């Protein structure tokens, strides 16, 4: 902002207006420009893209190299009567285009419409001979071709707000969203009990309608609010994905090869069923006094999933006793929330809150599968109900010299009902927190938070089995799944703001977290988690025209976990009459230390060279390195670990982005802007390296992607 | 342009002199007039664009809509500030009663009270009292700039920058290869979080993590014939929505993620490996395994559970399957 320009205009114009009545219009006009929101501006943008790169285009949606044209427009009008009209379009003509418009009588009513497109390109190219991608039937052709997998969301929202009286407000939001395209999916290739993996993209063609309506009565003393939320999902892509190719042979003899017209036993794969949910809520709050407030909310949700099943057929054979034609899924969820905050004295402030959720899955249970391959057990659908309680109590005390001390206690309780009796019925976590802050009016401010959590639960529903039952390998019920396991968690968080001189502001942040999981048997499963982050930010204002900022952060995340290398059908007892069997039946303990190390640096500046020319730039560097340190026991001659297994290369992702712009005001109304983007993304990841699907599909990732964009925009204000 | 400025300056001087003479002789001194807000003359008679750039821009905002009788004047937020207004000294006057800059000596609760005196009745701010941000002494003005029409935190393209001022870990995460389109400006933090307070965990807009995710991912809601427990419980059991290196925002890549919960029975404990390094025809000690090829695309071996989609190469329907078939392959999320 060029303040001197305004100063001259304002002061001079006011002075002139005092002398000559004819010039008062000029003064009013200039002041009006400062205080009026009204504007009308349209612009066109031509951007030249040197190359389409999968990682860059992921959400930017630029999928054509060369010149891409788009338009922006903005219109804001406010009348003296307080009537607003807004109209804004961004990226019009591109896949990311969005448009919104609204009319509003401020303080009375508002009507708005919003349109938004969000593309999502898979960050790779698939070279495949699979045909029918995007539809519910996939076949195998003869010709390999490059395919982009992409989805595109197009959402239109309508909003209506009306103040029925000064205190009574009604709000309605309706959102209609379509999502189309295809995304990575897959299937086991088994056509005759053998294996292999197939490239089988999932077709996406869905519609999601949501409506939210509320009536809210609020005064300074209390509020009460009633609301309804409805969500209606419809999948138009079909009920199943038919994969008409599979691998008829090749379990251990080499790569199973998929052949056309030999469907995998997985076909059809089920696609997401239509479902709906309705929620009714009543909320309120009351200020008992200036210092004490209570809030509550009660809601009830009814979710339903009764979409027709895939019809009974040789590919989808129903169990003879299964007479349902749909799941009849019904889930009722009750939520209750209450909170009380009170400033007991000038210095002591209390908070107590409690949230309860009862997810009651009322889906009727029936047998669907006789699991011949696993002992002939009758498998029913598995409704899963849960009750959760989240409680919080916190006391804050204001100390001298601007310090504030907060002590808190959090209580999380989860009760599982109807789940397989393998795990725990109840899990409880308690957290104790202390927070010290100095939060206003000095050169140095900051906070330090310490938290300690302990999580445990009821007795396990199963006992670890060490007996070979001839069906399962040894190792049943050894693992404590992450969300059920006992855990101790410690956290430290420190934040310091330092403003040594007026134009300079510096911020330091440090975060540390340590999770210690209690395992069940042989330390199988997740053992430890650790995270640490250092960050520094600085901003400097050179003068009213120029400013700059930078930040840097370094973080690490470490995980330690253990398992037991086993193969299908292993007895884990080293038995066998030949080498192959002895290797198969030899299980080997192993552990992994997974380390993620991230470094990021950002910097930016903007300024005005003169009243017509402004420039700016941003630079972002981000690098993530995953290391996989795997170790395993030496199990001798018959170890089941294959040569080279357990050695995973590091995965590395590096992002470098430079953005520069210059804007020149040709006239008061017309401006030209140049943008330059240089974006380099390097990905070294083993995910798709030397990987070929059984149908021959390969997924190609360019390890070094450089995108350059030069854009010219012209805007004109009317 | 210079000539024009000179001309204006001359006109201004002449005008001022003439006007001064005329007013001195003929008219009583006129009280300053309001410029933007009702009663703002008390402030704007001193604080114009030259003194405080941007101060008048409040006129561009909803606060500056005078036709709306609810809108405030300067002193509604900054206090009557009589000592500041009536200061006669030549040095800096005392600060107004309430200030909102970063170095403000006004307690945060008092600053926020100025905003809440009107905004507590906003439906989305009913739960501010007791919210994490309120309890941590976050001032409204820490995130909002009330004097500009372009409040950074209310624009989805720039909102995250404001949030990242405190949430450093998330700033790092959104730049990882698998992320929601926040850096691209197509989503904002407030699509999932209401920083002004909610009944849900982590200030999520709905009552639970899953209910929040279902607003965009309703196809995962189910229920299904075959439900997967951690999915039903909490999407965040497996996903970090702020961004990860692993595909699909998974907290760890398969098979590691899956092995954190699943027993090593059968092939579930298979040690990971990649095709480029691994010879599947012999074991780690060099023993040749009869009938096995060096390279196999096989779901049961190290490579098959690690590369591509890892375990999900075969257990495709990991969010739940609605397949009613009486077939072994219909369970365990295969089809």
């Amino acid at each position: 902002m060029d303040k001197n320009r305004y100063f001259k205009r304002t002061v001079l114009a006011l002075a002139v207006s005092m002398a000559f009545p004819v010039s008062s219009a000029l003064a009013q006009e200039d002041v009006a420009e400062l205080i009026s929101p009204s504007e009308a501006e349209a612009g066109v943008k031509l951007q030249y893209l040197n190359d389409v790169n999968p990682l860059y285009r992921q959400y930017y949606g630029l999928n054509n190299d060369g010149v891409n044209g788009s338009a922006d427009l903005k219109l804001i009008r406010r009348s003296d009567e307080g009537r607003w009209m807004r109209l804004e379009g961004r990226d019009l003509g591109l896949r990311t285009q969005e448009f919104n418009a609204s009319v509003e009588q401020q303080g009375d009513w508002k009507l708005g419409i919003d349109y938004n497109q969000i593309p999502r390109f898979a960050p790779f190219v698939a070279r495949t001979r699979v045909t029918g991608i995007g539809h519910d039937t996939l076949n195998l052709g003869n010709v390999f071709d490059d395919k982009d997998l992409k989805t595109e969301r197009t959402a239109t929202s309508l909003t209506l707000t009306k103040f029925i009286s000064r205190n009574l407000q009604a709000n309605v939001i309706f959102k209609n969203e379509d999502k189309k395209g295809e995304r990575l999916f897959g299937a086991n290739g088994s056509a005759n009990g053998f294996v292999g993996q197939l490239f089988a993209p999932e077709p996406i063609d869905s519609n999601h309608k949501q409506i939210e309506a509320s009536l809210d009565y609020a005064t300074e003393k209390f509020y009460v609010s009633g609301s309804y939320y409805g969500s209606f999902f419809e999948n138009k892509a079909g009920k199943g994905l038919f994969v008409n190719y599979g691998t008829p042979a090749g379990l251990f003899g080499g790569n199973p090869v998929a052949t056309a017209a030999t469907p995998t036993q997985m076909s059809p794969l089920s696609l997401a069923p239509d479902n709906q949910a309705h929620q009714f809520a009543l909320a309120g709050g009351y200020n008992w006094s200036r210092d004490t407030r209570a809030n509550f909310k009660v809601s009830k949700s009814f979710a339903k999933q009764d979409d027709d099943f895939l019809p009974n057929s040789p590919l989808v054979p129903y169990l003879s006793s299964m007479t349902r034609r749909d799941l009849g899924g019904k889930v009722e969820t009750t939520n209750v929330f209450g909170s009380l905050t009170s400033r007991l004295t000038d210095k002591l402030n209390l908070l107590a809150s409690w949230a309860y959720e009862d997810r009651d899955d009322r889906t009727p249970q029936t047998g669907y599968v006789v699991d011949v391959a696993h002992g002939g057990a009758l498998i029913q659908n598995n409704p899963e109900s849960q009750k959760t309680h989240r409680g919080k109590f916190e006391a804050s005390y204001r100390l001298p010299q601007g310090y504030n001390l907060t002590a808190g206690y959090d209580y999380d309780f989860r009760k599982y009902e109807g789940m397989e009796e393998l795990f725990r019925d109840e899990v409880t976590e308690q957290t104790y927190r202390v927070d010290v802050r100095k939060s206003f009016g000095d050169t140095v401010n900051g906070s330090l938070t310490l938290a300690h959590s302990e999580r445990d639960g009821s007795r396990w529903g199963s006992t670890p089995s060490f007996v070979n039952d001839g069906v399962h390998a040894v190792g049943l019920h050894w693992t404590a799944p992450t969300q059920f396991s006992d855990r101790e968690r410690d956290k430290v968080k420190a934040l310091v703001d330092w403003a040594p001189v007026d134009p300079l502001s510096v911020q330091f942040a440090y975060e540390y977290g340590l999770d210690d999981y209690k395992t069940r048997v042989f330390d199988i499963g997740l053992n430890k988690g650790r995270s640490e982050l250092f960050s520094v930010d600085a901003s400097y204002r050179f003068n009213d025209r120029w400013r700059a900022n930078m930040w840097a952060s370094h973080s690490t995340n470490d995980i330690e976990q253990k398992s037991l290398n086993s193969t299908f059908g292993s007895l884990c007892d080293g038995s066998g009459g030949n080498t192959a069997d002895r290797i198969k039946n030899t299980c080997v303990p192993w552990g992994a230390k997974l380390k993620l190390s991230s470094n990021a640096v950002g910097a930016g500046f903007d300024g005005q060279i003169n009243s017509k020319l402004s420039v700016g730039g941003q630079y972002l560097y981000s690098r993530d390195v995953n290391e996989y340190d795997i170790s395993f026991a030496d199990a001798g001659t018959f170890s089941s670990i294959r040569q080279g297994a357990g050695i995973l290369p590091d995965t590395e992702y590096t992002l470098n982005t430079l953005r520069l712009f210059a804007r020149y005001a040709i006239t008061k109304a017309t401006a030209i802007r140049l943008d330059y983007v240089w974006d380099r993304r390097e990905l070294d990841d083993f995910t798709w390296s030397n990987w070929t699907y059984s149908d021959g599909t390969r997924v190609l990732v360019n390890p070094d992607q450089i995108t350059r964009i030069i854009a010219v925009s012209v805007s004109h204000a009317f | 342009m210079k000539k024009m400025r000179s001309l204006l300056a001359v006109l201004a001087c002449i005008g001022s002199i003439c006007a001064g003479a005329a007013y001195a002789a003929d008219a009583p001194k006129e009280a300053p007039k309001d410029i933007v807000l009702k009663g703002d003359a008390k402030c704007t008679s001193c604080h114009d664009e030259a003194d405080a750039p941007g101060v008048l821009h409040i006129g561009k905002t909803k606060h500056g809509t005078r036709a709306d009788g609810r809108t405030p004047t300067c002193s509604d937020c900054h206090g009557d500030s009589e000592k500041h207004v009536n200061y006669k000294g030549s040095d800096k006057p005392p600060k107004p009663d309430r200030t909102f800059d970063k170095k403000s000596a006004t307690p945060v609760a008092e600053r926020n009270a100025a905003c809440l005196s009107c905004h507590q009745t906003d439906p989305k701010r009913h739960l501010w009292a007791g919210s994490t941000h309120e309890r941590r002494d976050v001032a409204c003005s820490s995130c909002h700039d009330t004097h500009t029409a372009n409040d950074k935190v209310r624009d989805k393209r720039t909102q995250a920058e404001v949030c990242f001022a405190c949430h450093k870990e998330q700033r790092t995460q959104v730049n990882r290869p698998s992320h929601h389109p926040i850096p691209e400006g197509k989503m904002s933090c407030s699509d999932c979080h209401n920083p002004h307070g909610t009944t849900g965990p982590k200030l999520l807009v709905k009552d639970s993590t899953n209910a929040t995710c279902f607003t965009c991912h309703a196809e995962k809601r189910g229920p299904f014939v075959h439900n997967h427990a951690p999915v039903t419980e909490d999407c965040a059991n497996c996903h970090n929505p702020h961004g990860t290196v692993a595909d699909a925002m998974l907290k760890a890549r398969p098979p590691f993620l899956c092995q954190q919960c699943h027993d090593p029975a059968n092939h579930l404990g298979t040690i990971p490996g990649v095709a480029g390094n691994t010879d599947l025809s012999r074991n780690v000690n060099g023993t040749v395994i009869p009938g096995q090829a060096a390279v196999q695309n096989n779901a049961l071996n190290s490579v098959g559970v690690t590369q591509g989609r890892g375990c999900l190469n075969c257990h495709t329907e990991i969010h739940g399957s609605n397949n009613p078939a009486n077939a072994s392959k219909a369970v365990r999320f295969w089809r």
Side-chain angles (χ1 to χ4, degrees), chain A residues 197 255 270 293 477 507 566 636, chain B residues 168 263-264 266 285 297 317:
Chain A
Q197 287 100 6
N255 272 329
S270 64
R293 180 177 173 87
H477 318 314
Q507 193 180 48
S566 54
Chain B
K168 313 292 186 189
D263 277 336
N266 286 326
N285 292 313
N297 180 354
E317 308 278 8

Side-chain angles (χ1 to χ4, degrees), chain A residues 49-51 53-57 60 618-624 652-659 676-684 702-709, chain B residues 175 177:
Chain A
L49 175 70
N50 74 315
D51 197 10
N53 283 310
L55 283 166
Y56 185 84
R57 78 174 165 182
Y60 283 114
Q618 286 179 322
Y619 172 68
L620 173 66
Y621 166 83
S622 173
R623 179 171 167 79
D624 300 290
E652 300 174 11
Y653 177 71
T654 309
L655 167 66
N656 271 286
T657 305
L658 175 67
R659 296 176 184 276
Y676 177 71
V677 179
W678 182 83
D679 181 282
R680 182 175 190 179
R681 299 177 192 223
E682 296 162 272
L683 183 62
D684 183 1
N702 181 352
D704 190 358
Q705 306 176 17
I706 299 179
T707 305
R708 295 184 189 88
I709 295 174
Chain B
N175 289 311

Side-chain angles (χ1 to χ4, degrees), chain A residues 6-7 19 33-37 58-59 78 80-81 84 90 96 98 104 106-107 116-117 153 185-186 188 197 210 212 216 223 231 233 251-252 255-256 265-266 268 270 275 279 287 293 299 305 315 317 319 327 349 359 369-371 381-382 384 390 394 396 414 416 433 437 439 441 475-479 505 507 535 537 551 553 561 563-566 569 590 598 624 626 628 636-637 639 641-643 646-647 653 685-687 689 692 694, chain B residues 15 35-36 49-50 53 56-57 59-62 65 67-68 70 102 104 120 123 126 135-137 155-157 165 168 171-172 175-177 179 181 186 199 206-207 214-219 221 223-225 227 229 232-233 245 253 256 259-264 266 269-272 274 277-280 282-285 287 289 291-293 296-299 302 307-309 313-314 316-317 321-323 325-329 332 334-335:
Chain A
Y6 288 117
F7 170 73
E33 187 182 315
L34 289 173
I35 66 173
S36 168
Q58 186 173 190
Y59 291 116
R78 182 181 64 191
D80 291 342
E81 292 73 38
W84 292 79
R90 290 176 185 167
T96 48
E98 52 191 70
E104 175 180 11
Q106 189 173 322
N116 189 14
Q117 282 183 204
R153 290 174 184 263
F185 211 40
N188 183 287
Q197 287 100 6
Q210 295 173 86
E212 201 158 4
D216 194 273
Y223 84 92
S231 165
F233 174 79
L251 178 56
F252 293 123
N255 272 329
Q265 287 184 341
M266 309 302 151
S270 64
N275 65 76
Q279 184 188 58
N287 292 325
R293 180 177 173 87
S299 67
Q305 193 278 94
L315 286 177
L319 190 65
L327 176 68
N349 197 332
R359 182 186 192 276
V369 183
V370 174
D371 194 3
N381 58 308
N382 55 334
E384 293 184 342
R390 285 185 292 116
E394 202 173 278
S396 295
R414 193 176 287 267
Y416 302 89
R433 297 180 275 112
R437 279 192 314 282
S439 51
L476 280 178
H477 318 314
W478 286 10
T479 315
S505 169
Q507 193 180 48
S535 184
D537 289 49
W551 59 270
S553 68
Q561 62 184 82
S563 191
L564 182 76
N565 186 65
S566 54
W590 62 277
S598 301
D624 300 290
N626 273 101
Y628 310 88
T637 308
S639 172
I641 292 180
R642 301 301 196 259
Q643 201 159 81
I647 301 171
Y653 177 71
D685 190 322
F686 57 74
T687 298
S689 300
T692 305
S694 297
Chain B
I35 297 178
V36 188
E49 196 62 16
L56 297 182
H57 287 200
K60 294 175 181 288
T61 72
K62 286 193 165 184
T65 304
D68 182 353
R70 306 169 307 163
K102 204 172 179 185
S104 169
Q120 189 168 300
H126 284 325
R135 299 296 298 178
R136 298 292 171 273
D137 267 354
D155 184 335
K156 68 180 173 188
R157 290 175 301 180
K168 313 292 186 189
R171 178 172 61 186
T172 302
N175 289 311
R176 290 179 178 155
H179 60 268
K186 298 301 289 181
T199 58
K206 296 290 183 189
D207 292 325
F214 295 154
T215 60
C216 290
H217 303 284
E219 75 278 9
R221 182 161 46 209
F224 303 101
V225 173
N227 293 302
T232 310
E233 179 183 313
V245 178
R253 68 179 62 214
F256 299 109
Q259 288 167 335
Q260 290 173 2
C261 293
H262 288 281
D263 277 336
N266 286 326
T270 303
I271 193 166
V274 292
N277 294 345
T278 312
D279 180 353
L280 296 166
R282 58 188 72 226
N283 77 359
V284 68
N285 292 313
T287 307
I289 306 167
Q292 297 236 9
Q296 301 166 31
N297 180 354
N298 185 320
S302 300
Q307 290 200 259
R309 302 175 72 224
N313 282 323
C314 300
T316 307
E317 308 278 8
S321 162
N322 207 48
N323 200 319
N326 172 30
S328 291
K329 296 290 188 288
R332 296 173 186 83
W334 277 316
R335 54 182 278 192

Side-chain angles (χ1 to χ4, degrees), chain A residues 504-555:
Chain A
L504 177 64
S505 169
V506 184
Q507 193 180 48
F508 302 95
Y510 174 73
E511 294 176 28
Y512 178 82
L514 179 66
D515 288 348
D516 189 358
Y517 294 89
K518 188 175 176 185
T519 54
R520 296 189 73 187
V521 173
F522 303 138
D523 286 339
I524 299 288
L526 192 55
N527 285 223
K528 278 191 189 336
R530 178 182 162 280
S531 66
E532 194 165 26
L533 177 139
F534 300 91
S535 184
V536 59
D537 289 49
S539 63
Y540 191 82
R541 187 169 45 80
F542 298 94
N543 52 44
D544 289 336
R545 291 173 173 229
W546 290 90
R547 61 186 174 174
N549 68 81
M550 68 77 59
W551 59 270
S553 68
H554 169 73
S555 64

Side-chain angles (χ1 to χ4, degrees), chain A residues 67-87:
Chain A
V67 176
N68 292 265
S70 63
D72 295 337
L73 61 93
K74 189 173 188 179
L75 174 71
I76 300 176
R77 286 281 181 266
R78 182 181 64 191
S79 71
D80 291 342
E81 292 73 38
R83 168 104 24 120
W84 292 79
M85 186 174 80
R86 286 192 176 84
L87 199 146

